[in-house]
Amino acid sequence: MGKSSKDKRDAYYRLAKEQGWRARSAFKLLQLDEEFDLFQGVSRVVDLCAAPGSWSQVLSRVLIQGQRVGRAAWQDKRYNELLRLRQEGSLAKDYEVEAPPEAKPRKDVKIVAIDLQPMSPLDGITCLKADITHPSTIPLLLKALDPDYDRSSASIEASQPVDLVLSDGAPDVTGLHDLDIYVQSQLLWAALNLALCVLKPGGRFVAKIFRGKDVDLLYAQLKIVFESVTVAKPRSSRASSVEAFIVCTNFRPPKGFKASLDSPLGAGRKLQSSEQTLAARTQPSRTVRPDGITELDLGSDLEDESQPKQDIRWIAPFLACGDLSAFDADASHKLPDGHVSLDPVQPPTAPPYRRALEERRKMGGAYGKTKLGEGLE
Ligand code: SAM
């Protein structure tokens, strides 16, 4: 199977190489931005699980270089379309078509990218090689955000907060659905706990989720700390995959809430009635488990007969986003005439599968030089 057959099967893979993105994931963030205007008023961002770095590239192009990508590109397209319609007489002559706002490099931009894997450097972005599930990562992040941060004396509150936390974290998928969804949810909780430590009030949090059983419980828990929680599926994310993104806006921590990685929040098991939701929003109760995880308890147990059973689950609105004329991520596409397949922009620096490839090469191919299966461990 040649390179160009992958170009054909995955239009976003081909486009990523043509437009200089390190990974096709860039389009997911661009399409989320089209819908949610994620970068509006944003200059300080943390990009979790960032390697090989296409989301960081989007941040760099929008915030540092002031390029017209994502929402700005979508606005340009809409503007030109309206001008065309007006010119051909489909719109009233005096219909006012407003020019999209200017995009320019922003001031005081700070972008910190974190991944377990090393990431090739990007201008203006601080890259950290660290595990987002480990408590030692938070002082590293705080130091990267604020060089004056002093681990011994400073508190989290003293460090400069950020406007937006992104997380595209994904474990190495095993194919065992329940296990994959569980490990993914642990990454999400780690990302959320980091976000709670650094987000400023009004801040945004965008993270990858796998939509599994009981995902609505997670939405209800997020709703305690964010005013709005939406589940979004960008067009570049395959419809056949359980992947989606939660887009949480207007961070509003309940009174007295203190983020801490010593007793991080974890998934609580309970749901509650609507009046209790309101109460929990201002004062969520917490249970500290023996393993140190704090469960954010949303209220009374479903089994409690005295509680009303209606309105107890909160379903987040679901939005398919990205221009409808954009490529379908599940379809095979006809390649343009004269198409020449390009190399990836930035191959992974140290992919976890490198050893497997080396071993395979040593054995002379997929099954070695011997008969099928012989010589394999
Ligand atoms: N957003 C990235 C981009 O645009 O290039 C792609 C991210 S990739 C889908 C998922 C990343 O999650 C991998 O690079 C992986 O190393 C990282 N990851 C998984 N578990 C992690 C952890 N515990 N801490 C930090 N990064 C992790």
Side-chain angles (χ1 to χ4, degrees):
M1 190 173 59
K3 265 194 297 182
S4 67
S5 63
K6 189 156 183 204
D7 286 353
K8 189 171 155 190
R9 279 182 293 117
D10 187 342
Y12 289 101
Y13 172 78
R14 170 172 62 84
L15 278 185
K17 293 188 294 178
E18 287 172 7
Q19 295 179 13
W21 302 112
R22 291 181 176 186
R24 69 187 292 292
S25 330
F27 295 103
K28 299 176 190 170
L29 185 59
L30 293 169
Q31 289 168 351
L32 288 169
D33 180 42
E34 277 177 27
E35 185 67 47
F36 295 95
D37 203 2
L38 291 178
F39 308 125
Q40 209 230 350
V42 163
S43 58
R44 295 172 64 84
V45 189
V46 176
D47 182 10
L48 301 173
C49 302
S54 75
W55 281 25
S56 291
Q57 283 183 293
V58 171
L59 293 170
S60 162
R61 290 192 195 181
V62 175
L63 307 183
I64 302 177
Q65 298 163 38
Q67 281 189 22
R68 299 195 69 80
V69 292
R71 183 148 178 118
W74 172 79
Q75 285 172 328
D76 290 346
K77 192 173 161 192
R78 194 166 150 268
Y79 176 64
N80 291 330
E81 184 63 11
L82 286 172
L83 288 182
R84 190 186 64 76
L85 288 172
R86 195 174 62 180
Q87 209 162 20
E88 69 178 33
S90 308
L91 289 177
K93 274 208 182 75
D94 56 352
Y95 183 90
E96 244 183 72
V97 182
E98 217 179 297
E102 219 188 317
K104 29 181 196 213
R106 302 190 189 182
K107 287 194 187 124
D108 303 322
V109 171
K110 183 84 213 175
I111 302 168
V112 181
I114 303 184
D115 202 286
L116 273 178
Q117 306 294 331
M119 194 169 123
S120 289
L122 278 167
D123 267 354
I125 296 189
T126 310
C127 300
L128 302 177
K129 184 174 171 301
D131 180 349
I132 67 158
T133 64
H134 202 281
S136 62
T137 300
I138 188 77
L140 284 181
L141 171 61
L142 294 174
K143 184 87 188 154
L145 285 168
D146 175 8
D148 294 334
Y149 169 76
D150 172 5
R151 190 178 175 168
S152 56
S153 60
S155 66
I156 283 170
E157 292 77 34
S159 64
Q160 291 183 38
V162 306
D163 307 300
L164 171 66
V165 175
L166 303 172
S167 173
D168 190 22
D172 287 338
V173 174
T174 64
L176 300 170
H177 263 41
D178 287 349
L179 180 63
D180 292 338
I181 287 171
Y182 173 76
V183 180
Q184 165 66 25
S185 75
Q186 295 310 301
L187 270 185
L188 176 77
W189 279 104
L192 177 65
N193 276 300
L194 275 180
L196 295 177
C197 291
V198 296
L199 267 186
K200 68 176 178 197
R204 298 168 201 151
F205 175 61
V206 176
K208 190 201 306 270
I209 54 163
F210 285 176
R211 283 164 302 151
K213 197 162 106 349
D214 291 336
V215 72
D216 51 343
L217 179 56
L218 167 73
Y219 304 152
Q221 286 165 321
L222 288 167
K223 195 78 169 85
I224 293 175
V225 280
F226 292 96
E227 185 184 32
S228 146
V229 177
T230 307
V231 188
K233 179 85 174 168
R235 225 169 133 66
S236 50
S237 170
R238 295 185 181 91
S240 49
S241 123
V242 286
E243 174 189 85
F245 294 84
I246 37 151
V247 179
C248 308
T249 57
N250 198 6
F251 176 52
R252 40 156 204 198
K255 236 189 188 153
F257 174 83
K258 265 209 168 94
S260 153
L261 284 198
D262 295 327
S263 60
L265 297 182
R269 288 164 291 108
K270 296 173 180 177
L271 288 169
Q272 64 191 355
S273 68
S274 43
E275 302 91 77
Q276 286 163 331
T277 313
L278 276 179
R281 263 182 213 153
T282 45
Q283 270 195 336
S285 66
R286 288 152 161 241
T287 319
V288 181
R289 298 196 318 225
D291 60 4
I293 300 280
T294 301
E295 286 187 350
L296 197 57
D297 183 355
L298 294 168
S300 71
D301 212 306
L302 273 178
E303 265 91 70
D304 185 345
E305 289 300 317
S306 64
Q307 297 302 323
K309 292 263 192 280
Q310 72 277 29
D311 292 333
I312 47 178
R313 293 184 89 94
W314 186 74
I315 310 288
F318 182 91
L319 254 183
C321 54
D323 196 320
L324 279 180
S325 63
F327 287 108
D328 174 352
D330 286 278
S332 277
H333 297 273
K334 189 173 174 310
L335 292 172
D337 291 340
H339 169 76
V340 179
S341 186
L342 302 171
D343 282 330
V345 174
Q346 176 67 59
T349 319
Y353 50 82
R354 176 182 282 169
R355 208 182 125 225
L357 288 179
E358 282 167 0
E359 298 280 318
R360 195 160 85 171
R361 214 165 287 136
K362 266 193 237 154
M363 291 193 304
Y367 297 107
K369 285 177 184 140
T370 53
K371 275 189 258 152
L372 187 70
E374 262 179 54
L376 290 178
E377 278 172 26

